[in-house]
PDB file of all heavy atoms in Angstrom:
ATOM      1  N   PRO A   1     -78.782   2.978 -42.867  1.00 88.00           N
ATOM      2  CA  PRO A   1     -80.172   2.588 -43.156  1.00 88.00           C
ATOM      3  C   PRO A   1     -81.169   3.613 -42.608  1.00 88.00           C
ATOM      4  O   PRO A   1     -80.807   4.529 -41.859  1.00 88.00           O
ATOM      5  CB  PRO A   1     -80.329   1.244 -42.406  1.00 88.00           C
ATOM      6  CG  PRO A   1     -78.941   0.750 -42.192  1.00 88.00           C
ATOM      7  CD  PRO A   1     -78.074   1.966 -42.061  1.00 88.00           C
ATOM      8  N   LYS A   2     -82.403   3.452 -42.987  1.00 86.00           N
ATOM      9  CA  LYS A   2     -83.459   4.360 -42.544  1.00 86.00           C
ATOM     10  C   LYS A   2     -83.552   4.402 -41.014  1.00 86.00           C
ATOM     11  O   LYS A   2     -83.419   3.391 -40.349  1.00 86.00           O
ATOM     12  CB  LYS A   2     -84.808   3.902 -43.130  1.00 86.00           C
ATOM     13  CG  LYS A   2     -85.966   4.846 -42.823  1.00 86.00           C
ATOM     14  CD  LYS A   2     -87.260   4.302 -43.396  1.00 86.00           C
ATOM     15  CE  LYS A   2     -88.428   5.223 -43.056  1.00 86.00           C
ATOM     16  NZ  LYS A   2     -89.720   4.667 -43.560  1.00 86.00           N
ATOM     17  N   ASP A   3     -83.728   5.611 -40.508  1.00 84.00           N
ATOM     18  CA  ASP A   3     -83.862   5.861 -39.061  1.00 84.00           C
ATOM     19  C   ASP A   3     -82.576   5.547 -38.302  1.00 84.00           C
ATOM     20  O   ASP A   3     -82.609   5.337 -37.096  1.00 84.00           O
ATOM     21  CB  ASP A   3     -85.013   5.030 -38.454  1.00 84.00           C
ATOM     22  CG  ASP A   3     -86.352   5.412 -39.087  1.00 84.00           C
ATOM     23  OD1 ASP A   3     -86.516   6.593 -39.432  1.00 84.00           O
ATOM     24  OD2 ASP A   3     -87.225   4.526 -39.210  1.00 84.00           O
ATOM     25  N   ARG A   4     -81.445   5.506 -38.998  1.00 90.00           N
ATOM     26  CA  ARG A   4     -80.158   5.331 -38.346  1.00 90.00           C
ATOM     27  C   ARG A   4     -79.301   6.555 -38.683  1.00 90.00           C
ATOM     28  O   ARG A   4     -79.339   7.081 -39.785  1.00 90.00           O
ATOM     29  CB  ARG A   4     -79.447   4.045 -38.839  1.00 90.00           C
ATOM     30  CG  ARG A   4     -80.228   2.771 -38.547  1.00 90.00           C
ATOM     31  CD  ARG A   4     -80.222   2.451 -37.064  1.00 90.00           C
ATOM     32  NE  ARG A   4     -80.715   1.123 -36.789  1.00 90.00           N
ATOM     33  CZ  ARG A   4     -81.983   0.813 -36.572  1.00 90.00           C
ATOM     34  NH1 ARG A   4     -82.900   1.759 -36.610  1.00 90.00           N
ATOM     35  NH2 ARG A   4     -82.370  -0.423 -36.304  1.00 90.00           N
ATOM     36  N   ARG A   5     -78.475   6.993 -37.695  1.00 93.00           N
ATOM     37  CA  ARG A   5     -77.631   8.173 -37.909  1.00 93.00           C
ATOM     38  C   ARG A   5     -76.223   7.869 -37.427  1.00 93.00           C
ATOM     39  O   ARG A   5     -76.031   7.235 -36.389  1.00 93.00           O
ATOM     40  CB  ARG A   5     -78.221   9.374 -37.131  1.00 93.00           C
ATOM     41  CG  ARG A   5     -79.643   9.696 -37.601  1.00 93.00           C
ATOM     42  CD  ARG A   5     -80.225  10.874 -36.874  1.00 93.00           C
ATOM     43  NE  ARG A   5     -81.615  11.115 -37.284  1.00 93.00           N
ATOM     44  CZ  ARG A   5     -82.352  12.123 -36.903  1.00 93.00           C
ATOM     45  NH1 ARG A   5     -81.859  13.010 -36.036  1.00 93.00           N
ATOM     46  NH2 ARG A   5     -83.587  12.275 -37.312  1.00 93.00           N
ATOM     47  N   LEU A   6     -75.265   8.357 -38.199  1.00 95.00           N
ATOM     48  CA  LEU A   6     -73.869   8.009 -37.937  1.00 95.00           C
ATOM     49  C   LEU A   6     -72.984   9.237 -38.078  1.00 95.00           C
ATOM     50  O   LEU A   6     -73.093   9.996 -39.045  1.00 95.00           O
ATOM     51  CB  LEU A   6     -73.404   6.935 -38.917  1.00 95.00           C
ATOM     52  CG  LEU A   6     -71.928   6.526 -38.857  1.00 95.00           C
ATOM     53  CD1 LEU A   6     -71.584   5.952 -37.498  1.00 95.00           C
ATOM     54  CD2 LEU A   6     -71.615   5.522 -39.968  1.00 95.00           C
ATOM     55  N   LEU A   7     -72.141   9.459 -37.069  1.00 96.00           N
ATOM     56  CA  LEU A   7     -71.131  10.515 -37.077  1.00 96.00           C
ATOM     57  C   LEU A   7     -69.770   9.867 -37.033  1.00 96.00           C
ATOM     58  O   LEU A   7     -69.513   8.986 -36.210  1.00 96.00           O
ATOM     59  CB  LEU A   7     -71.326  11.459 -35.878  1.00 96.00           C
ATOM     60  CG  LEU A   7     -70.283  12.545 -35.673  1.00 96.00           C
ATOM     61  CD1 LEU A   7     -70.215  13.476 -36.868  1.00 96.00           C
ATOM     62  CD2 LEU A   7     -70.578  13.338 -34.408  1.00 96.00           C
ATOM     63  N   ILE A   8     -68.878  10.290 -37.951  1.00 96.00           N
ATOM     64  CA  ILE A   8     -67.539   9.713 -38.026  1.00 96.00           C
ATOM     65  C   ILE A   8     -66.507  10.799 -37.708  1.00 96.00           C
ATOM     66  O   ILE A   8     -66.505  11.867 -38.332  1.00 96.00           O
ATOM     67  CB  ILE A   8     -67.271   9.150 -39.441  1.00 96.00           C
ATOM     68  CG1 ILE A   8     -68.315   8.100 -39.824  1.00 96.00           C
ATOM     69  CG2 ILE A   8     -65.862   8.535 -39.519  1.00 96.00           C
ATOM     70  CD1 ILE A   8     -68.260   7.674 -41.267  1.00 96.00           C
ATOM     71  N   PHE A   9     -65.664  10.536 -36.737  1.00 96.00           N
ATOM     72  CA  PHE A   9     -64.494  11.357 -36.441  1.00 96.00           C
ATOM     73  C   PHE A   9     -63.259  10.576 -36.842  1.00 96.00           C
ATOM     74  O   PHE A   9     -63.073   9.427 -36.420  1.00 96.00           O
ATOM     75  CB  PHE A   9     -64.386  11.715 -34.960  1.00 96.00           C
ATOM     76  CG  PHE A   9     -65.398  12.730 -34.481  1.00 96.00           C
ATOM     77  CD1 PHE A   9     -66.274  12.440 -33.445  1.00 96.00           C
ATOM     78  CD2 PHE A   9     -65.479  13.993 -35.071  1.00 96.00           C
ATOM     79  CE1 PHE A   9     -67.191  13.374 -33.004  1.00 96.00           C
ATOM     80  CE2 PHE A   9     -66.381  14.941 -34.635  1.00 96.00           C
ATOM     81  CZ  PHE A   9     -67.252  14.615 -33.600  1.00 96.00           C
ATOM     82  N   ALA A  10     -62.419  11.175 -37.676  1.00 96.00           N
ATOM     83  CA  ALA A  10     -61.165  10.524 -38.073  1.00 96.00           C
ATOM     84  C   ALA A  10     -60.014  11.481 -37.798  1.00 96.00           C
ATOM     85  O   ALA A  10     -60.171  12.698 -37.850  1.00 96.00           O
ATOM     86  CB  ALA A  10     -61.199  10.126 -39.529  1.00 96.00           C
ATOM     87  N   THR A  11     -58.849  10.926 -37.502  1.00 95.00           N
ATOM     88  CA  THR A  11     -57.661  11.765 -37.235  1.00 95.00           C
ATOM     89  C   THR A  11     -56.555  11.375 -38.212  1.00 95.00           C
ATOM     90  O   THR A  11     -56.457  10.217 -38.644  1.00 95.00           O
ATOM     91  CB  THR A  11     -57.161  11.572 -35.810  1.00 95.00           C
ATOM     92  OG1 THR A  11     -56.610  10.264 -35.645  1.00 95.00           O
ATOM     93  CG2 THR A  11     -58.290  11.777 -34.798  1.00 95.00           C
ATOM     94  N   THR A  12     -55.708  12.355 -38.545  1.00 95.00           N
ATOM     95  CA  THR A  12     -54.581  12.088 -39.420  1.00 95.00           C
ATOM     96  C   THR A  12     -53.499  13.140 -39.241  1.00 95.00           C
ATOM     97  O   THR A  12     -53.783  14.279 -38.886  1.00 95.00           O
ATOM     98  CB  THR A  12     -55.010  12.053 -40.908  1.00 95.00           C
ATOM     99  OG1 THR A  12     -53.893  11.724 -41.720  1.00 95.00           O
ATOM    100  CG2 THR A  12     -55.542  13.411 -41.353  1.00 95.00           C
ATOM    101  N   THR A  13     -52.268  12.723 -39.496  1.00 94.00           N
ATOM    102  CA  THR A  13     -51.146  13.662 -39.553  1.00 94.00           C
ATOM    103  C   THR A  13     -50.713  13.900 -41.004  1.00 94.00           C
ATOM    104  O   THR A  13     -49.761  14.634 -41.258  1.00 94.00           O
ATOM    105  CB  THR A  13     -49.946  13.119 -38.749  1.00 94.00           C
ATOM    106  OG1 THR A  13     -49.568  11.842 -39.288  1.00 94.00           O
ATOM    107  CG2 THR A  13     -50.308  12.936 -37.283  1.00 94.00           C
ATOM    108  N   GLU A  14     -51.395  13.232 -41.941  1.00 91.00           N
ATOM    109  CA  GLU A  14     -51.015  13.292 -43.348  1.00 91.00           C
ATOM    110  C   GLU A  14     -52.193  13.780 -44.195  1.00 91.00           C
ATOM    111  O   GLU A  14     -52.720  13.084 -45.049  1.00 91.00           O
ATOM    112  CB  GLU A  14     -50.550  11.910 -43.836  1.00 91.00           C
ATOM    113  CG  GLU A  14     -49.398  11.319 -43.056  1.00 91.00           C
ATOM    114  CD  GLU A  14     -48.078  12.019 -43.389  1.00 91.00           C
ATOM    115  OE1 GLU A  14     -48.064  12.848 -44.327  1.00 91.00           O
ATOM    116  OE2 GLU A  14     -47.086  11.724 -42.705  1.00 91.00           O
ATOM    117  N   ARG A  15     -52.621  15.012 -43.962  1.00 93.00           N
ATOM    118  CA  ARG A  15     -53.761  15.538 -44.693  1.00 93.00           C
ATOM    119  C   ARG A  15     -53.463  15.600 -46.194  1.00 93.00           C
ATOM    120  O   ARG A  15     -54.336  15.300 -47.028  1.00 93.00           O
ATOM    121  CB  ARG A  15     -54.106  16.935 -44.167  1.00 93.00           C
ATOM    122  CG  ARG A  15     -55.333  17.569 -44.802  1.00 93.00           C
ATOM    123  CD  ARG A  15     -55.662  18.898 -44.132  1.00 93.00           C
ATOM    124  NE  ARG A  15     -56.885  19.469 -44.652  1.00 93.00           N
ATOM    125  CZ  ARG A  15     -56.961  20.246 -45.727  1.00 93.00           C
ATOM    126  NH1 ARG A  15     -55.856  20.545 -46.401  1.00 93.00           N
ATOM    127  NH2 ARG A  15     -58.134  20.730 -46.138  1.00 93.00           N
ATOM    128  N   SER A  16     -52.270  15.950 -46.550  1.00 92.00           N
ATOM    129  CA  SER A  16     -51.923  16.050 -47.962  1.00 92.00           C
ATOM    130  C   SER A  16     -51.990  14.696 -48.654  1.00 92.00           C
ATOM    131  O   SER A  16     -52.376  14.583 -49.805  1.00 92.00           O
ATOM    132  CB  SER A  16     -50.520  16.654 -48.118  1.00 92.00           C
ATOM    133  OG  SER A  16     -49.555  15.845 -47.502  1.00 92.00           O
ATOM    134  N   VAL A  17     -51.596  13.637 -47.922  1.00 92.00           N
ATOM    135  CA  VAL A  17     -51.664  12.291 -48.488  1.00 92.00           C
ATOM    136  C   VAL A  17     -53.121  11.904 -48.751  1.00 92.00           C
ATOM    137  O   VAL A  17     -53.449  11.342 -49.821  1.00 92.00           O
ATOM    138  CB  VAL A  17     -50.998  11.272 -47.518  1.00 92.00           C
ATOM    139  CG1 VAL A  17     -51.275   9.846 -47.994  1.00 92.00           C
ATOM    140  CG2 VAL A  17     -49.523  11.542 -47.413  1.00 92.00           C
ATOM    141  N   LEU A  18     -54.019  12.209 -47.815  1.00 93.00           N
ATOM    142  CA  LEU A  18     -55.423  11.915 -47.999  1.00 93.00           C
ATOM    143  C   LEU A  18     -55.988  12.647 -49.212  1.00 93.00           C
ATOM    144  O   LEU A  18     -56.837  12.126 -49.954  1.00 93.00           O
ATOM    145  CB  LEU A  18     -56.215  12.282 -46.750  1.00 93.00           C
ATOM    146  CG  LEU A  18     -56.395  11.177 -45.695  1.00 93.00           C
ATOM    147  CD1 LEU A  18     -55.060  10.617 -45.220  1.00 93.00           C
ATOM    148  CD2 LEU A  18     -57.216  11.699 -44.517  1.00 93.00           C
ATOM    149  N   SER A  19     -55.486  13.860 -49.422  1.00 92.00           N
ATOM    150  CA  SER A  19     -55.922  14.645 -50.585  1.00 92.00           C
ATOM    151  C   SER A  19     -55.448  13.984 -51.884  1.00 92.00           C
ATOM    152  O   SER A  19     -56.207  13.865 -52.859  1.00 92.00           O
ATOM    153  CB  SER A  19     -55.408  16.076 -50.488  1.00 92.00           C
ATOM    154  OG  SER A  19     -55.771  16.828 -51.616  1.00 92.00           O
ATOM    155  N   GLN A  20     -54.190  13.533 -51.891  1.00 91.00           N
ATOM    156  CA  GLN A  20     -53.631  12.900 -53.099  1.00 91.00           C
ATOM    157  C   GLN A  20     -54.365  11.611 -53.445  1.00 91.00           C
ATOM    158  O   GLN A  20     -54.550  11.265 -54.624  1.00 91.00           O
ATOM    159  CB  GLN A  20     -52.144  12.600 -52.905  1.00 91.00           C
ATOM    160  CG  GLN A  20     -51.267  13.817 -52.752  1.00 91.00           C
ATOM    161  CD  GLN A  20     -49.868  13.425 -52.355  1.00 91.00           C
ATOM    162  OE1 GLN A  20     -49.365  12.373 -52.737  1.00 91.00           O
ATOM    163  NE2 GLN A  20     -49.205  14.272 -51.569  1.00 91.00           N
ATOM    164  N   LEU A  21     -54.802  10.872 -52.404  1.00 91.00           N
ATOM    165  CA  LEU A  21     -55.454   9.571 -52.625  1.00 91.00           C
ATOM    166  C   LEU A  21     -56.972   9.718 -52.756  1.00 91.00           C
ATOM    167  O   LEU A  21     -57.701   8.716 -52.723  1.00 91.00           O
ATOM    168  CB  LEU A  21     -55.128   8.619 -51.468  1.00 91.00           C
ATOM    169  CG  LEU A  21     -53.636   8.281 -51.309  1.00 91.00           C
ATOM    170  CD1 LEU A  21     -53.429   7.384 -50.093  1.00 91.00           C
ATOM    171  CD2 LEU A  21     -53.121   7.574 -52.567  1.00 91.00           C
ATOM    172  N   ASP A  22     -57.463  10.933 -52.905  1.00 92.00           N
ATOM    173  CA  ASP A  22     -58.889  11.211 -53.108  1.00 92.00           C
ATOM    174  C   ASP A  22     -59.752  10.747 -51.927  1.00 92.00           C
ATOM    175  O   ASP A  22     -60.906  10.369 -52.090  1.00 92.00           O
ATOM    176  CB  ASP A  22     -59.382  10.517 -54.392  1.00 92.00           C
ATOM    177  CG  ASP A  22     -60.728  11.075 -54.849  1.00 92.00           C
ATOM    178  OD1 ASP A  22     -60.975  12.279 -54.617  1.00 92.00           O
ATOM    179  OD2 ASP A  22     -61.537  10.311 -55.401  1.00 92.00           O
ATOM    180  N   LEU A  23     -59.159  10.739 -50.718  1.00 93.00           N
ATOM    181  CA  LEU A  23     -59.914  10.372 -49.542  1.00 93.00           C
ATOM    182  C   LEU A  23     -60.408  11.586 -48.780  1.00 93.00           C
ATOM    183  O   LEU A  23     -61.421  11.522 -48.083  1.00 93.00           O
ATOM    184  CB  LEU A  23     -59.037   9.495 -48.632  1.00 93.00           C
ATOM    185  CG  LEU A  23     -59.718   8.827 -47.422  1.00 93.00           C
ATOM    186  CD1 LEU A  23     -60.845   7.919 -47.882  1.00 93.00           C
ATOM    187  CD2 LEU A  23     -58.709   8.036 -46.597  1.00 93.00           C
ATOM    188  N   LEU A  24     -59.703  12.711 -48.936  1.00 93.00           N
ATOM    189  CA  LEU A  24     -60.040  13.904 -48.187  1.00 93.00           C
ATOM    190  C   LEU A  24     -61.444  14.403 -48.512  1.00 93.00           C
ATOM    191  O   LEU A  24     -62.188  14.828 -47.623  1.00 93.00           O
ATOM    192  CB  LEU A  24     -59.012  14.998 -48.454  1.00 93.00           C
ATOM    193  CG  LEU A  24     -59.201  16.324 -47.674  1.00 93.00           C
ATOM    194  CD1 LEU A  24     -59.128  16.076 -46.179  1.00 93.00           C
ATOM    195  CD2 LEU A  24     -58.157  17.354 -48.100  1.00 93.00           C
ATOM    196  N   ARG A  25     -61.818  14.329 -49.788  1.00 92.00           N
ATOM    197  CA  ARG A  25     -63.136  14.878 -50.171  1.00 92.00           C
ATOM    198  C   ARG A  25     -64.301  13.997 -49.697  1.00 92.00           C
ATOM    199  O   ARG A  25     -65.448  14.371 -49.827  1.00 92.00           O
ATOM    200  CB  ARG A  25     -63.187  15.067 -51.677  1.00 92.00           C
ATOM    201  CG  ARG A  25     -63.241  13.785 -52.508  1.00 92.00           C
ATOM    202  CD  ARG A  25     -63.267  14.105 -53.986  1.00 92.00           C
ATOM    203  NE  ARG A  25     -63.438  12.903 -54.795  1.00 92.00           N
ATOM    204  CZ  ARG A  25     -64.611  12.399 -55.136  1.00 92.00           C
ATOM    205  NH1 ARG A  25     -65.723  12.987 -54.734  1.00 92.00           N
ATOM    206  NH2 ARG A  25     -64.681  11.319 -55.915  1.00 92.00           N
ATOM    207  N   ARG A  26     -63.978  12.828 -49.168  1.00 93.00           N
ATOM    208  CA  ARG A  26     -65.036  11.970 -48.614  1.00 93.00           C
ATOM    209  C   ARG A  26     -65.533  12.503 -47.281  1.00 93.00           C
ATOM    210  O   ARG A  26     -66.584  12.071 -46.789  1.00 93.00           O
ATOM    211  CB  ARG A  26     -64.520  10.540 -48.422  1.00 93.00           C
ATOM    212  CG  ARG A  26     -63.888   9.934 -49.673  1.00 93.00           C
ATOM    213  CD  ARG A  26     -64.911   9.520 -50.689  1.00 93.00           C
ATOM    214  NE  ARG A  26     -64.290   9.057 -51.923  1.00 93.00           N
ATOM    215  CZ  ARG A  26     -64.918   8.404 -52.887  1.00 93.00           C
ATOM    216  NH1 ARG A  26     -66.180   8.123 -52.740  1.00 93.00           N
ATOM    217  NH2 ARG A  26     -64.279   8.050 -54.006  1.00 93.00           N
ATOM    218  N   PHE A  27     -64.780  13.417 -46.679  1.00 95.00           N
ATOM    219  CA  PHE A  27     -65.190  13.997 -45.393  1.00 95.00           C
ATOM    220  C   PHE A  27     -66.009  15.245 -45.630  1.00 95.00           C
ATOM    221  O   PHE A  27     -65.737  16.029 -46.525  1.00 95.00           O
ATOM    222  CB  PHE A  27     -63.960  14.312 -44.534  1.00 95.00           C
ATOM    223  CG  PHE A  27     -63.238  13.110 -44.036  1.00 95.00           C
ATOM    224  CD1 PHE A  27     -62.189  12.555 -44.760  1.00 95.00           C
ATOM    225  CD2 PHE A  27     -63.622  12.492 -42.848  1.00 95.00           C
ATOM    226  CE1 PHE A  27     -61.522  11.437 -44.299  1.00 95.00           C
ATOM    227  CE2 PHE A  27     -62.953  11.366 -42.379  1.00 95.00           C
ATOM    228  CZ  PHE A  27     -61.901  10.840 -43.104  1.00 95.00           C
ATOM    229  N   ASN A  28     -67.035  15.412 -44.799  1.00 94.00           N
ATOM    230  CA  ASN A  28     -67.900  16.598 -44.914  1.00 94.00           C
ATOM    231  C   ASN A  28     -67.247  17.850 -44.342  1.00 94.00           C
ATOM    232  O   ASN A  28     -67.585  18.963 -44.746  1.00 94.00           O
ATOM    233  CB  ASN A  28     -69.222  16.361 -44.187  1.00 94.00           C
ATOM    234  CG  ASN A  28     -69.965  15.143 -44.718  1.00 94.00           C
ATOM    235  OD1 ASN A  28     -70.179  14.171 -44.003  1.00 94.00           O
ATOM    236  ND2 ASN A  28     -70.352  15.170 -45.984  1.00 94.00           N
ATOM    237  N   ALA A  29     -66.360  17.685 -43.399  1.00 94.00           N
ATOM    238  CA  ALA A  29     -65.702  18.833 -42.765  1.00 94.00           C
ATOM    239  C   ALA A  29     -64.348  18.411 -42.226  1.00 94.00           C
ATOM    240  O   ALA A  29     -64.076  17.238 -42.010  1.00 94.00           O
ATOM    241  CB  ALA A  29     -66.584  19.375 -41.623  1.00 94.00           C
ATOM    242  N   SER A  30     -63.471  19.394 -42.045  1.00 94.00           N
ATOM    243  CA  SER A  30     -62.166  19.124 -41.464  1.00 94.00           C
ATOM    244  C   SER A  30     -61.863  20.197 -40.412  1.00 94.00           C
ATOM    245  O   SER A  30     -62.227  21.346 -40.545  1.00 94.00           O
ATOM    246  CB  SER A  30     -61.053  19.113 -42.530  1.00 94.00           C
ATOM    247  OG  SER A  30     -60.991  20.377 -43.172  1.00 94.00           O
ATOM    248  N   ILE A  31     -61.198  19.771 -39.336  1.00 95.00           N
ATOM    249  CA  ILE A  31     -60.871  20.668 -38.230  1.00 95.00           C
ATOM    250  C   ILE A  31     -59.355  20.575 -37.977  1.00 95.00           C
ATOM    251  O   ILE A  31     -58.845  19.514 -37.661  1.00 95.00           O
ATOM    252  CB  ILE A  31     -61.621  20.277 -36.943  1.00 95.00           C
ATOM    253  CG1 ILE A  31     -63.139  20.280 -37.157  1.00 95.00           C
ATOM    254  CG2 ILE A  31     -61.231  21.194 -35.794  1.00 95.00           C
ATOM    255  CD1 ILE A  31     -63.926  19.782 -35.958  1.00 95.00           C
ATOM    256  N   PRO A  32     -58.625  21.691 -38.129  1.00 95.00           N
ATOM    257  CA  PRO A  32     -57.181  21.663 -37.843  1.00 95.00           C
ATOM    258  C   PRO A  32     -56.945  21.669 -36.331  1.00 95.00           C
ATOM    259  O   PRO A  32     -57.641  22.361 -35.585  1.00 95.00           O
ATOM    260  CB  PRO A  32     -56.686  22.955 -38.489  1.00 95.00           C
ATOM    261  CG  PRO A  32     -57.851  23.857 -38.509  1.00 95.00           C
ATOM    262  CD  PRO A  32     -59.064  23.003 -38.664  1.00 95.00           C
ATOM    263  N   VAL A  33     -55.975  20.874 -35.901  1.00 95.00           N
ATOM    264  CA  VAL A  33     -55.602  20.821 -34.476  1.00 95.00           C
ATOM    265  C   VAL A  33     -54.133  21.228 -34.405  1.00 95.00           C
ATOM    266  O   VAL A  33     -53.243  20.442 -34.732  1.00 95.00           O
ATOM    267  CB  VAL A  33     -55.810  19.405 -33.906  1.00 95.00           C
ATOM    268  CG1 VAL A  33     -55.425  19.395 -32.409  1.00 95.00           C
ATOM    269  CG2 VAL A  33     -57.255  18.941 -34.099  1.00 95.00           C
ATOM    270  N   PRO A  34     -53.832  22.493 -33.972  1.00 93.00           N
ATOM    271  CA  PRO A  34     -52.444  22.959 -33.965  1.00 93.00           C
ATOM    272  C   PRO A  34     -51.652  22.500 -32.758  1.00 93.00           C
ATOM    273  O   PRO A  34     -52.220  21.972 -31.778  1.00 93.00           O
ATOM    274  CB  PRO A  34     -52.618  24.475 -33.947  1.00 93.00           C
ATOM    275  CG  PRO A  34     -53.903  24.695 -33.206  1.00 93.00           C
ATOM    276  CD  PRO A  34     -54.785  23.529 -33.568  1.00 93.00           C
ATOM    277  N   ASN A  35     -50.346  22.682 -32.821  1.00 93.00           N
ATOM    278  CA  ASN A  35     -49.468  22.429 -31.681  1.00 93.00           C
ATOM    279  C   ASN A  35     -49.596  23.546 -30.665  1.00 93.00           C
ATOM    280  O   ASN A  35     -50.258  24.564 -30.890  1.00 93.00           O
ATOM    281  CB  ASN A  35     -48.007  22.346 -32.156  1.00 93.00           C
ATOM    282  CG  ASN A  35     -47.678  20.981 -32.748  1.00 93.00           C
ATOM    283  OD1 ASN A  35     -48.290  19.983 -32.397  1.00 93.00           O
ATOM    284  ND2 ASN A  35     -46.703  20.952 -33.652  1.00 93.00           N
ATOM    285  N   VAL A  36     -48.913  23.345 -29.533  1.00 92.00           N
ATOM    286  CA  VAL A  36     -48.765  24.426 -28.527  1.00 92.00           C
ATOM    287  C   VAL A  36     -47.775  25.435 -29.133  1.00 92.00           C
ATOM    288  O   VAL A  36     -46.623  25.087 -29.419  1.00 92.00           O
ATOM    289  CB  VAL A  36     -48.266  23.864 -27.192  1.00 92.00           C
ATOM    290  CG1 VAL A  36     -48.069  25.004 -26.201  1.00 92.00           C
ATOM    291  CG2 VAL A  36     -49.236  22.822 -26.655  1.00 92.00           C
ATOM    292  N   GLN A  37     -48.208  26.683 -29.322  1.00 91.00           N
ATOM    293  CA  GLN A  37     -47.409  27.643 -30.068  1.00 91.00           C
ATOM    294  C   GLN A  37     -46.683  28.668 -29.199  1.00 91.00           C
ATOM    295  O   GLN A  37     -45.520  28.998 -29.454  1.00 91.00           O
ATOM    296  CB  GLN A  37     -48.322  28.391 -31.062  1.00 91.00           C
ATOM    297  CG  GLN A  37     -48.992  27.490 -32.096  1.00 91.00           C
ATOM    298  CD  GLN A  37     -47.999  26.889 -33.069  1.00 91.00           C
ATOM    299  OE1 GLN A  37     -46.844  27.335 -33.174  1.00 91.00           O
ATOM    300  NE2 GLN A  37     -48.412  25.842 -33.770  1.00 91.00           N
TER     301      GLN A  37
END
């Protein structure tokens, strides 16, 4: 609503699944989190 602001952080291990289900494009940005290499 007007004068309200919302930030959403979501986590997943199945990025490809989100892409197949048309959910990935609902996010404005994505950040990869790698393992200890």
Side-chain angles (χ1 to χ4, degrees):
K2 184 181 179 183
D3 299 327
R4 300 289 191 270
R5 301 180 183 185
L6 175 62
L7 175 60
I8 303 170
F9 287 123
T11 70
T12 183
T13 59
E14 303 287 352
R15 184 175 183 273
S16 61
V17 171
L18 269 57
S19 178
Q20 295 171 32
L21 298 177
D22 195 32
L23 189 60
L24 182 61
R25 70 181 185 88
R26 307 284 174 166
F27 290 92
N28 302 116
S30 61
I31 302 175
V33 181
N35 280 333
V36 178
Q37 298 293 344

